[in-house]
Structure formats: structure tokens, C-alpha cells
Amino acid sequence: MTVTDRLEALPITAGAVALGFFDGVHRGHQAVIERAVTSGVTPCVFSFTAPANAARLYRIMTDDRRMEAIGALGVQYLVMPPFGDFSSMSPERFVEEVLVGVFHAKVAVCGKNFHFGYHAAGDSDQLRALCAASGIEVRIVDPVLYAGAPVSSTRIREALGEGRMEDVRAMLGRPYTIRIQVAHGRALGRRLAFPTINQPLPPILRLPKFGVYASLAEVDGVQYPAVSNVGVKPTVGSSGPLCETYIIGYEDDLYGREVPVSLLSFLRPEQKFASVDALGAQIAKDTEAALRYCTQEGCTSVR
């Protein structure tokens, strides 16, 4: 997949363009993108990078992970400029300069709730009307439903905040996965006979509910059952939120590597213990609970 952050013409003769921010690339987003991929012309996505201080956007995934997820769907071109590069365009200018000028679009694909142009003035109906004059077919994709309501990034953020990882997995179409470089910690887990990896969590992310999770960690193509604590380690303290994971049955050094850790099920809230020994005893119980969950779900040590 070719990725660019510039609004300039692509070297294609006809594009099918999926439109949206696509935070999480959840099942609803996948339906929109897959409609472009199966259109019969060059599959493209137009998205954007939002300002780091965008008040409403505590994101489900980082931009790097979002690009990877979009590419995995078969997209050939992804144009992802900063929001400010096009946010002042009227709906008319957006169609002319982006859909026609950048993508040479023959097809534009969006969800029913898609909005575009300055102050989000344009909607999917206006997109259809404006595109008709340029010979662009507009395909509007119905929402994907889960538990009787449309899948949305807002619902996924809410489920993350409540620790409902089974619901998050169902709406994403895959487990919620943290893939961040492993950093050095205090090695306390190793002293407690539970060596852990520490992954500092970026401040832009909508974090899962602080607490302990049954999880899977992937190392060199092998998935290991694991137990993860998301939070600030109240017993011993940390400089900021992180995901600390004990990978059951794996002991080698992983510092500096990006290790995918998938949070499967919430086990208990994060808590402060009276002593390090009490913390160690609880980690042993959490490990048993996580291993039991992974065994029941059939997801232990799968290559």
C-alpha cells in the first residue's frame, strides 16, 4: 500500500475512494473499505491525522496501527493528510480538489452518517448530488449492527472504558491489541517470580479500564497466554499509565521489541496492596484465572 500525507494527484486513472477517519478500523469501517476494494477500480482510502489536542478524539489505535489495519484490507493507496490541510474546504471544493483532483475518482464510498467539508456541512446525500456532476458513483454503506445498534467508535470507546473486552472484540472484529515497544521497568516482577514486560501507553489513546486482564502475547509468531495489568501500578507506582504483562511460559528478554498484547477479558480492577508480598500472591491468583480463561477459549500457545 502506498501512503501519502499530501493532497496531490495519484498516479491512477480511476479510483474507488473510501471516506472516513476510520478510528479503530472496526467492522463498520471494514464494510466501507471493503466496498471500495471490491469496486473493480483502484481501491483507495481518504482519511486524515487529527490534531493531538483534538478534544473528542481519545483514539482507539495509533495512526501507525490504523494504517496497517487499512492496508491489510487490500487498499492500494491511502491519503492521510493533517486535518488542517483540508478542513476549510467547502463540500464543493472537497469533491473537486480531493475526489477528482487527487483520486480521479469513479466511485466514492461512505457510511450513512458521513459528514465532510467546512464545519462538516456536507452529508452523504450532498456527496451523492455533488459527485453526480463529475460522473462519480456514490455508494452509501448501511451500518453494521451489534447487539441491536450500529457499531461505532463511540461505542467501542465506551466499552473500553468499562472493560467490556468481549464487546470490544465483537465490534472491532478482532481482539483489542496493544503493540508498543517494551520498555525497562523496575524488574519487580522478576523478583516475585513473575517476570513482566512494560509497555508505556500513549496519552492519545482511549485506555481500557484500569485493571487486570486475561490476555494473549505474541512472540515470534507464537501466541502465549498471559495476564496484563493496565494502569499506574498503585502498589509500587509508575510514571504514567502502562500495560504490564506476565507472559506465561516465556522468559527471554524482549526489551526494545514491539510485542502485540491482546486484552481478552477483564478479571478485576486495579488495586493497591499492603505489601509487595501481597501483590505477588495476587499475581499468582490472577495468573491462574487468566490461564483458565485462555484454556476455556482454546487460545493457549497457538502458532
Side-chain angles (χ1 to χ4, degrees), residues 59-61 156 160 165 168-169 172 174-178 201 205-208 261-264:
R59 296 160 216 173
I60 296 168
M61 63 201 316
I156 292 171
L160 281 170
M165 305 313 294
V168 172
R169 181 164 70 247
L172 285 176
R174 62 186 184 278
Y176 174 82
T177 301
I178 294 166
L201 298 172
L205 290 181
R206 176 59 171 105
L207 300 181
V261 174
S262 298
L263 304 182
L264 303 180

Side-chain angles (χ1 to χ4, degrees), residues 259-272:
V259 176
V261 174
S262 298
L263 304 182
L264 303 180
S265 186
F266 184 82
L267 297 178
R268 65 169 178 83
E270 188 176 45
Q271 65 186 97
K272 184 174 182 177

Side-chain angles (χ1 to χ4, degrees), residues 64 140 146 151 221 243 257 260 273:
D64 286 347
I140 300 173
Y146 170 69
V151 171
C243 180
R257 294 180 60 176
F273 293 91

Side-chain angles (χ1 to χ4, degrees), residues 25-36:
V25 195
H26 57 59
R27 288 175 56 213
H29 296 152
Q30 292 166 31
V32 172
I33 295 170
E34 287 167 358
R35 186 73 66 88

Side-chain angles (χ1 to χ4, degrees), residues 124-165:
S124 57
D125 290 333
Q126 187 177 12
L127 179 68
R128 192 192 297 276
L130 290 172
C131 284
S134 298
I136 301 172
E137 178 188 356
V138 173
R139 301 178 183 178
I140 300 173
V141 178
D142 289 333
V144 173
L145 302 182
Y146 170 69
V151 171
S152 69
S153 297
T154 297
R155 288 186 69 195
I156 292 171
R157 292 187 191 101
E158 290 173 352
L160 281 170
E162 295 169 3
R164 293 186 284 112
M165 305 313 294

Side-chain angles (χ1 to χ4, degrees), residues 5-179:
D5 61 0
R6 301 184 63 171
L7 293 174
E8 58 186 20
L10 295 173
I12 59 177
T13 57
V17 190
L19 300 165
F21 182 57
F22 301 125
D23 183 29
V25 195
H26 57 59
R27 288 175 56 213
H29 296 152
Q30 292 166 31
V32 172
I33 295 170
E34 287 167 358
R35 186 73 66 88
V37 169
T38 59
S39 66
V41 292
T42 305
C44 308
V45 166
F46 177 82
S47 188
F48 57 91
T49 56
N53 61 352
R56 71 178 184 88
L57 285 178
Y58 280 99
R59 296 160 216 173
I60 296 168
M61 63 201 316
T62 63
D63 287 337
D64 286 347
R65 300 289 86 82
R66 188 157 54 104
M67 285 187 278
E68 288 180 3
I70 289 171
L73 295 174
V75 172
Q76 291 187 29
Y77 290 92
L78 169 60
V79 177
M80 205 160 80
F83 180 69
D85 285 6
F86 67 94
S87 60
S88 63
M89 290 182 180
S90 65
E92 293 80 4
R93 274 189 64 202
F94 181 83
V95 171
E96 179 181 352
E97 297 183 20
V98 176
L99 292 184
V100 176
V102 174
F103 292 99
H104 315 291
K106 292 298 181 186
V107 178
V109 187
C110 66
K112 279 193 172 181
N113 294 325
F114 176 69
H115 285 81
F116 69 108
Y118 186 56
H119 285 172
D123 59 15
S124 57
D125 290 333
Q126 187 177 12
L127 179 68
R128 192 192 297 276
L130 290 172
C131 284
S134 298
I136 301 172
E137 178 188 356
V138 173
R139 301 178 183 178
I140 300 173
V141 178
D142 289 333
V144 173
L145 302 182
Y146 170 69
V151 171
S152 69
S153 297
T154 297
R155 288 186 69 195
I156 292 171
R157 292 187 191 101
E158 290 173 352
L160 281 170
E162 295 169 3
R164 293 186 284 112
M165 305 313 294
E166 290 85 354
D167 289 337
V168 172
R169 181 164 70 247
M171 288 188 281
L172 285 176
R174 62 186 184 278
Y176 174 82
T177 301
I178 294 166
R179 204 184 91 189

